[in-house]
Amino acid sequence: MTAQVDGSAAGAAGVAEAAGAESGRGPRVPGTVRRRVLVGAVALVMLAGGVSIAHGAADGTDGAPAPDGGGHAAHDAGKAGGTGKVSGDGKAAGTGEAALVGGASRSGGFWMRADGVFSPPGSFVPSDALTYDTGLVPAAARIEITQYADRTATRVGTRLRGLVPNRAYGMHVHTTPCGADPVSAGPHYQHRTSATADPVNEVWLDFRTDGNGDGEAEARHDWGFREGGARSVIVHDAQGGAGKRVACFTVPFAP
């Protein structure tokens, strides 16, 4: 009786294997379905939550990070609002703040990239990117700031998405973090304090959006920031040295 039962089981298994081979599939392994369901669920969570995956620390031909950010990888789980945050000490923040990555480059310099999604002050999901005028900087518009610094120069770049199409904006690096009040960001960062307010002594990132509301700019200087002296960027409603403050993004620039 025992032999007959074992033989029947073996025969059934053989039929299952033959059917699997004939159809191009192997026999179903216990747990396979569960793994497939788990992978599918993770994919759905990533799509819904806006997981931010950033890469960096690879040099371009001039010593700057490569355009695709290849090299070291940092992963931060997305939150409501589509961004997360990795702080300078490597700890993940618990709210929808800016995604921040960076590190040393092979040429001996330092690079950093921070990106955020604008929301009004006091929003349910806190953000390091604040809009004070949603008519000019809509909620959910995006901003990215990059910095590359070495012994001889500093480059700061920006890319923005989702602003008013075909419009000119001003932008400068400021001295303190953003707050609910636009004046919280303090004055422009100046290489030589109390000197001239111009693109040589300050970091100006004026830009003009295209038909999709996207814009970008870059500033290069032969000097670097003082420790803790540059903490944010302000978007203005006009280009030049002044203009109404319409948005702010807190960025921990490196010296």
Side-chain angles (χ1 to χ4, degrees):
M1 178 67 71
T2 302
Q4 291 176 352
V5 171
D6 292 344
S8 298
V15 172
E17 290 177 358
E22 185 175 351
S23 64
R25 301 189 302 270
R28 186 177 299 277
V29 179
T32 301
V33 174
R34 290 194 297 273
R35 286 196 296 272
R36 289 176 178 170
V37 171
L38 178 60
V39 170
V42 171
L44 288 174
V45 170
M46 291 177 68
L47 290 173
V51 172
S52 175
I53 300 178
H55 307 273
D59 294 312
T61 55
D62 60 351
D68 62 355
H72 298 1
H75 304 260
D76 57 291
K79 293 98 179 168
T83 60
K85 181 176 182 179
V86 178
S87 60
D89 59 5
K91 297 178 181 178
T95 57
E97 297 180 344
L100 171 66
V101 294
S105 68
R106 290 196 299 267
S107 63
F110 172 87
W111 72 271
M112 174 276 297
R113 183 177 75 245
D115 65 88
V117 179
F118 286 106
S119 64
S123 296
F124 178 74
V125 178
S127 176
D128 281 345
L130 301 176
T131 174
Y132 307 119
D133 186 336
T134 56
L136 294 179
V137 180
R142 304 185 68 92
I143 183 171
E144 176 187 274
I145 296 292
T146 57
Q147 178 193 6
Y148 177 78
D150 58 22
R151 299 180 184 88
T152 61
T154 297
R155 298 206 310 266
V156 177
T158 186
R159 293 195 304 171
L160 298 101
R161 302 290 181 265
L163 304 186
V164 177
N166 303 311
R167 192 186 193 285
Y169 291 83
M171 180 185 288
H172 312 100
V173 172
H174 282 245
T175 59
T176 53
C178 308
D181 188 335
V183 303
S184 299
H188 295 181
Y189 177 89
Q190 293 190 324
H191 175 53
R192 292 181 293 111
T193 58
S194 301
T196 57
D198 56 44
V200 176
N201 193 46
E202 301 177 348
V203 180
W204 291 21
L205 296 164
D206 292 355
F207 62 94
R208 184 176 184 84
T209 58
D210 60 17
N212 296 318
D214 303 338
E216 58 185 63
E218 183 180 80
R220 302 187 180 209
H221 296 86
D222 58 2
W223 44 262
F225 295 120
R226 292 181 293 278
E227 182 74 37
R231 298 298 306 279
S232 63
V233 293
I234 283 281
V235 180
H236 297 269
D237 67 344
Q239 296 185 348
K244 177 185 174 183
R245 301 184 182 195
V246 296
C248 184
F249 182 35
T250 297
V251 183
F253 289 103

